[in-house]
């Protein structure tokens, strides 16, 4: 639950126009020891390195990870803090830069990446700025693990972890981080499928193409819909398979993209395989293992199954492990996971949001269901999830 007013915690927030001392500001934090989520007085940051920028928060998206942290199944504050500032889907504006910052200036719109490398010199991925593949597990993640997030009025960040967004994408840029999940997924899928050299249509005009291939997106949340946009834009015959029956807002949005929406309540797995044909790619974005493994059982010959969901801890489920293992071996299937993303995935996501804005501007904008103030963050984090993507708005650019 949200905390009652107490030292270092303020709820409700100060009245509009109230003066804040320079040494503190508002942030939304999870307090594990008290099992509370509250608006806290968080120290106002200042530049501590020459390669840092000071960023004013504009918008922070709420996702399932944030909501799960608020149930205290995971989420670790920094070592010197009893609370964790939430939020890892951020859009901000640069207000100040250090004297060694490159490629950034005050007024730039930026999206930060989330994971930071471990400090082990022998960790090859982190040394190569691919901390999403960290080999030690000692990475930190802003708003998730051992590092404060972005659901606050200002934050500082090194220039290498900030990605400039063009002003034309201002209304949708908070979607960059969830789109990076699909970007990283496809960055792994395409090299894997070069194992099929006879499939010449995998490349058109020097770029990978899904023309002639069937893809099923499992789930119609933000990650699923953005993944469906990515697959559709790359030429796949794309289908979204989700539980809720149509008509519903998510189904309408999906169908406005020219993508069939199929309800699991109306179409059992056997019928799904018949309707789609051989499934070349499954992009799992539902986070429910019982559903995910059932769909894995109908993956097609030479198919790839991408897991993106992280189920909350619960009792084990039963699966037909023999069938899945036979299929993976005899059908030359590949199962791959994608978590977090590197700088290239963020740059690709920004580029693809531009593509999506040209193809489906209204559908893309409608992914954001609500923009709320910080004093409404309680219902976004703790009440039943509604809409598609909800956003906490801190300021306008």
């Amino acid at each position: 639950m949200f905390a009652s007013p107490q030292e270092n915690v303020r709820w409700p927030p100060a009245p509009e126009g109230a003066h804040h001392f320079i040494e503190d500001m508002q942030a939304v934090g999870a307090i594990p020891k008290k099992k509370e989520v509250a608006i806290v007085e968080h120290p106002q940051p200042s530049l501590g390195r020459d390669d840092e920028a000071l960023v004013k928060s504009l918008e922070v998206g709420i996702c399932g990870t944030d909501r799960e942290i608020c149930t205290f199944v995971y989420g670790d504050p920094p070592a010197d803090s009893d609370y964790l500032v939430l939020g890892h889907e951020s859009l901000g504006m640069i207000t100040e830069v250090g004297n060694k910052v490159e490629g950034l200036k005050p007024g730039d719109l930026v999206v930060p990446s989330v994971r930071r490398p471990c400090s082990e010199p022998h960790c090859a991925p982190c040394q190569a700025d691919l901390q999403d593949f960290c080999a030690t597990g000692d990475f930190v993640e802003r708003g998730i693990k051992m590092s404060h997030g972005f659901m606050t009025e200002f934050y500082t960040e090194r220039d290498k972890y900030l990605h400039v967004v063009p002003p034309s994408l201002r209304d949708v840029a908070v979607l960059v981080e969830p789109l990076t999940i699909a970007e990283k997924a496809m960055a792994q899928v395409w090299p894997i499928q070069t194992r099929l050299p006879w499939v010449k249509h995998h490349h058109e005009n020097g770029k990978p193409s899904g023309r002639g291939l069937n893809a099923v997106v499992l789930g119609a949340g933000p990650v699923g819909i953005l993944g469906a946009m990515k697959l559709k834009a790359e030429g796949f015959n794309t289908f979204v398979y989700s539980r809720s029956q149509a008509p519903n807002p998510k189904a309408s949005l999906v169908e406005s993209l020219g993508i069939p929406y199929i309800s699991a309540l109306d179409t059992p797995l056997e019928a799904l395989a018949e309707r789609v044909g051989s499934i070349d790619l499954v992009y799992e974005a539902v986070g429910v293992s019982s559903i995910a493994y059932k769909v894995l059982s109908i993956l097609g010959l030479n198919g790839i199954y991408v897991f993106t969901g992280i189920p909350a801890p619960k009792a084990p489920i039963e699966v037909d492990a023999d069938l899945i293992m036979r299929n993976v071996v005899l059908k030359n299937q590949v199962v791959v996971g994608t978590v977090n993303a590197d700088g290239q995935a963020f740059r690709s996501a920004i580029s693809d949001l531009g593509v999506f804005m040209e193809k489906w501007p209204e559908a893309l904008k409608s992914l954001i269901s609500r923009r709320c103030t910080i004093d409404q963050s309680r219902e976004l984090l703790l009440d039943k999830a509604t809409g598609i993507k909800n956003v906490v708005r801190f300021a306008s650019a």
Side-chain angles (χ1 to χ4, degrees):
M1 59 182 296
F2 260 61
S4 301
Q6 54 187 281
E7 185 178 0
N8 292 328
V9 175
R10 181 162 63 214
W11 184 267
E16 185 175 355
H19 177 71
H20 281 72
F21 292 105
I22 191 66
E23 66 268 16
D24 58 41
M25 58 184 179
Q26 291 186 322
V28 180
I31 311 171
K33 291 181 180 179
K34 297 180 179 181
K35 296 291 192 292
E36 293 175 344
V37 180
I39 291 182
V40 301
E41 293 299 317
H42 186 59
Q44 176 131 354
S46 58
L47 298 182
R49 298 172 51 118
D50 289 339
D51 62 351
E52 280 186 345
L54 180 65
V55 183
K56 179 180 181 179
S57 290
L58 300 180
E59 295 184 342
V60 180
I62 301 287
C63 77
T65 296
D66 302 305
R67 293 172 61 85
E68 288 177 358
I69 291 173
C70 291
T71 68
F72 303 98
V73 295
Y74 58 87
D76 302 308
D80 60 352
S81 176
D82 62 355
Y83 62 87
L84 172 69
V85 175
L86 297 169
H88 57 276
E89 300 178 2
S90 173
L91 169 66
M93 183 177 69
I94 300 290
T95 62
E96 185 182 354
V97 297
N99 58 24
K100 291 185 179 179
V101 167
E102 298 182 356
L104 299 172
K105 64 184 184 301
D108 282 345
L109 297 176
V110 291
V111 171
S113 62
V114 180
R115 183 172 289 190
R116 301 292 171 265
C118 72
S119 59
E120 297 295 335
H122 64 270
C123 180
C126 287
Q127 293 296 312
D129 289 329
L130 293 172
Q131 54 267 20
D132 49 317
F133 291 101
C134 177
T136 69
D138 293 332
F139 59 84
V140 299
E141 292 178 313
R142 297 206 59 162
I144 302 172
K145 180 186 176 187
M146 302 298 294
S147 180
H148 287 309
F150 307 117
M151 204 174 293
T152 184
E153 296 178 72
F154 290 88
Y155 59 87
T156 57
E157 188 53 87
R158 295 177 65 186
D159 55 0
K160 67 189 295 184
Y161 301 126
L162 293 169
H163 306 279
V164 176
V165 177
S168 60
L169 297 180
R170 166 65 180 83
D171 290 344
V172 296
V174 75
L175 299 173
V176 167
E177 196 280 337
L179 178 56
T180 62
I181 299 171
E183 299 292 349
K184 181 182 173 183
M186 296 311 297
Q188 295 179 88
V189 164
W190 290 123
I192 291 170
Q193 288 304 69
T194 59
R195 66 192 179 133
L196 310 178
W198 60 89
V199 185
K200 301 300 183 184
H201 58 245
H202 276 180
H203 288 80
E204 295 178 355
N205 301 320
K207 296 182 178 181
S209 169
R211 183 173 59 85
L213 302 175
N214 298 321
V216 171
V217 175
L218 185 54
V223 172
I225 294 174
L226 287 167
M229 289 180 168
K230 171 70 173 175
L231 292 168
K232 178 74 172 179
E234 294 204 352
F236 284 87
N237 300 322
T238 306
F239 302 80
V240 170
Y241 190 57
S242 187
R243 178 177 174 80
S244 299
Q245 288 179 306
N248 65 69
K250 293 179 180 179
S252 298
L253 193 161
V254 167
E255 289 171 350
S256 74
L257 306 171
I259 296 173
Y261 175 94
I262 305 171
S263 169
L265 296 178
D266 297 328
T267 306
L269 284 179
E270 298 77 12
L272 175 66
E274 292 175 3
R275 178 169 177 180
V276 173
S278 182
I279 300 174
D280 300 292
L281 175 66
V282 172
Y283 182 75
E284 178 276 321
V286 71
V288 179
S289 56
S290 58
I291 298 171
Y293 276 91
K294 288 178 182 177
V295 176
L296 175 56
S297 70
I298 63 168
L299 182 65
L301 186 69
N302 303 323
I304 297 180
Y305 194 106
V306 179
F307 278 106
T308 78
I310 305 175
K314 61 176 73 70
I317 65 168
E318 291 187 6
V319 298
D320 191 342
D322 288 342
L323 173 64
I324 292 172
M325 187 170 177
R326 282 198 302 269
N327 283 348
V328 169
V329 174
L330 297 177
K331 295 184 178 181
N332 292 298
Q333 296 170 340
V334 175
V335 178
V336 62
T338 176
V339 62
N340 212 278
D342 61 10
Q344 181 55 53
F346 276 82
R347 292 187 288 274
S348 296
I350 293 168
S351 176
D352 276 339
L353 275 185
V355 173
F356 299 170
M357 278 291 279
E358 291 183 4
K359 290 179 174 288
W360 312 293
E362 296 308 314
L364 183 62
K365 292 177 183 178
S366 69
L367 267 172
I368 300 175
S369 305
R370 297 173 63 196
R371 285 181 163 94
C372 302
T373 59
I374 189 173
D375 59 310
Q376 296 171 296
S377 54
R378 176 187 188 280
E379 57 186 282
L380 300 184
L381 290 164
L382 301 180
D383 292 354
K384 183 179 179 180
T386 60
I388 302 176
K389 173 60 67 180
N390 294 313
V391 171
V392 176
R393 170 178 279 171
F394 283 86
S396 57

